[in-house]
């Protein structure tokens, strides 16, 4: 019994130490997700208005441009997958990777060749383990992405969209990221960045809203050339912020669950330890009573 009691006490100390770690990680994630939410709220209006400006240029001119014009035959697509550098976030990374794999399978079923670009060590490790080709990769900034990081990611993608497919370019660009809906809800989704679907953007604007009129100087094509990198960078930056906020929220939720489970396990082990200690005390009392009775019988026999 004594050995079993020591085992329980050792496990209680171990689980208690783990609970302290998970509680600390929960508090850190909770503080980071608030900052990430603020950045998402600050970047979303800019990305939305820039998208609307591009839409206005695209609908107000007949210029054929990679930003707004779909290729007659799409033969090659690029998929940008956003994951995190660290784990301990529940199903955050697996959901994003699953969405990217489903998108890739759909594009390949349409006869398109897919080039995969990945942000985050988790996504890179997943694809490297399965020996899948990665066109380019970026790591080290997923927890707190900056606009400079978005520009670094966008540069090769813009170059690919501006290059002919015969020379290794792509006809369209898709992004897979995790959208931050609330502290309890984050959903992995995919969206096509390029070419911009003017019909879908038009459906998103409020009913009855009148878009401003634009004068293009020197030309609509030059305006689109100037807006292309800004549009891609802003959308990728917003997606990076959404993904970072979702990751922190998922980490907070996972660590809270781990902390609660550790507390329940400590309570269970404490009850088992108390039962083992009670059994040990009962056994010692029984041995004392038995020894005392045997001694009394021996003394009574010697008196006779």
């Amino acid at each position: 019994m004594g050995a079993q009691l020591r085992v329980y006490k050792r496990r209680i100390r171990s689980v208690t130490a783990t609970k302290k770690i998970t509680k600390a990680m929960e508090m850190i994630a909770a503080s980071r997700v608030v900052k990430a939410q603020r950045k998402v709220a600050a970047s979303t209006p800019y990305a939305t208005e820039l998208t609307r400006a591009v839409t206005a240029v695209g609908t107000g001119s007949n210029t054929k441009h990679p930003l707004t014009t779909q290729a007659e035959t799409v033969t090659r697509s690029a998929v940008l997958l956003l994951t995190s550098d660290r784990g301990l976030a529940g199903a955050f990374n697996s959901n994003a990777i699953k969405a990217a794999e489903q998108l890739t399978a759909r594009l390949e079923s349409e006869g398109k060749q897919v080039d995969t670009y990945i942000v985050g060590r988790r996504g890179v490790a997943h694809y490297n383990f399965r020996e899948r080709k990665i066109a380019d990769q970026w790591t080290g900034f997923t927890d707190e992405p900056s606009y400079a990081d978005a520009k670094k990611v966008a540069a090769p993608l813009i170059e690919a969209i501006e290059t002919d497919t015969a020379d290794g370019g792509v006809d369209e660009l898709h992004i897979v990221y995790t959208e931050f809906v609330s502290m309890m809800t984050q959903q992995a989704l995919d969206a096509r960045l390029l070419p911009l679907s003017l019909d879908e953007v038009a459906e998103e604007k409020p009913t009855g809203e009148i878009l401003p009129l634009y004068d293009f100087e020197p030309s609509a094509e030059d305006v689109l050339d100037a807006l292309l990198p800004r549009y891609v960078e802003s959308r990728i930056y917003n997606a990076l912020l959404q993904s970072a906020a979702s990751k922190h929220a998922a980490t907070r939720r996972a660590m809270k669950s781990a902390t609660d489970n550790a507390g329940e396990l400590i309570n269970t082990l404490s009850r088992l330890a108390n039962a083992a200690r009670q059994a040990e005390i009962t056994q010692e009392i029984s041995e004392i009573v038995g020894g005392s009775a045997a001694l009394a019988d021996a003394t009574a026999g010697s008196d006779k």
Side-chain angles (χ1 to χ4, degrees):
M1 288 296 179
Q4 188 65 31
L5 182 60
R6 287 193 296 271
V7 171
Y8 288 140
K9 289 184 176 180
R10 184 166 60 249
R11 290 190 61 188
I12 290 173
R13 289 194 297 269
S14 176
V15 176
T16 301
T18 303
K19 181 181 178 180
K20 291 180 180 178
I21 295 174
T22 56
K23 184 63 177 180
M25 295 180 68
E26 176 190 349
M27 296 175 65
I28 293 172
S31 64
R32 288 181 175 177
V33 72
V34 174
K35 297 179 182 178
Q37 278 183 277
R38 294 172 182 170
K39 290 183 178 180
V40 171
S43 69
T44 299
Y46 175 77
T48 301
E49 290 302 321
L50 185 56
T51 302
R52 293 176 61 189
V54 172
T55 303
V57 178
T59 55
S61 66
N62 296 323
T63 302
K64 291 186 177 181
H65 193 274
L67 187 59
T68 57
T69 305
Q70 177 73 42
E72 295 182 0
T73 303
V74 179
T75 59
R76 196 167 186 174
S77 302
V79 174
L80 174 62
L81 169 61
L82 304 186
T83 61
S84 66
D85 289 323
R86 302 178 182 179
L88 300 177
F92 168 79
N93 288 302
S94 59
N95 287 340
I97 293 172
K98 182 179 179 180
E101 291 178 340
Q102 291 175 346
L103 173 61
T104 300
R106 177 169 60 82
L107 294 174
E108 290 178 344
S109 67
E110 297 173 357
K112 304 173 184 177
Q113 182 180 350
V114 178
D115 293 341
T116 303
Y117 298 78
I118 302 178
V119 174
R121 292 190 180 93
R122 293 295 170 174
V124 172
H126 177 87
Y127 275 70
N128 285 339
F129 179 77
R130 289 158 180 78
E131 298 182 351
R132 298 177 183 174
K133 184 179 178 181
I134 301 175
D136 207 343
Q137 56 183 290
W138 302 269
T139 59
F141 56 81
T142 59
D143 282 351
E144 295 183 4
S146 65
Y147 195 82
D149 298 322
K151 292 182 67 174
K152 181 170 60 176
V153 174
L157 296 172
I158 296 172
E159 181 180 356
I161 203 72
E162 291 179 337
T163 305
D164 293 335
T165 53
D167 298 328
V170 297
D171 296 312
E172 59 183 12
L173 169 61
H174 298 261
I175 184 171
V176 179
Y177 67 101
T178 305
E179 181 185 25
F180 180 85
V181 180
S182 66
M183 291 293 291
M184 297 302 297
T185 305
Q186 302 87 40
Q187 57 183 3
L189 52 82
D190 63 87
R192 192 180 74 176
L193 292 186
L194 296 174
L196 181 63
S197 178
L198 301 180
D199 295 335
E200 293 180 1
V201 176
E203 292 176 357
E204 294 177 357
K205 73 180 183 66
T207 304
E209 181 181 2
I210 300 176
L211 293 175
L213 298 176
Y214 293 92
D215 290 330
F216 308 129
E217 185 178 337
S219 66
E221 185 175 0
D222 292 334
V223 173
L224 289 173
D225 287 338
L227 287 177
L228 174 60
R230 304 292 184 274
Y231 166 75
V232 176
E233 291 166 4
S234 65
R235 291 294 299 272
I236 290 179
Y237 180 53
N238 184 259
L240 286 171
L241 293 177
Q242 294 264 8
S243 183
S246 299
K247 190 269 177 184
H248 294 318
T251 297
R252 176 184 174 276
R253 190 168 61 251
M255 292 301 100
K256 184 179 187 306
S257 177
T259 302
D260 293 342
N261 291 338
E264 293 177 3
L265 182 57
I266 290 173
N267 291 336
T268 301
L269 291 173
S270 297
R271 286 194 296 269
L272 293 174
N274 291 336
R277 183 170 61 251
Q278 186 63 40
E280 183 178 358
I281 294 173
T282 302
Q283 182 178 357
E284 291 178 356
I285 293 174
S286 299
E287 291 175 354
I288 293 173
V289 172
S292 177
L295 182 60
D297 294 339
T299 303
S302 60
D303 292 340
K304 291 178 180 180

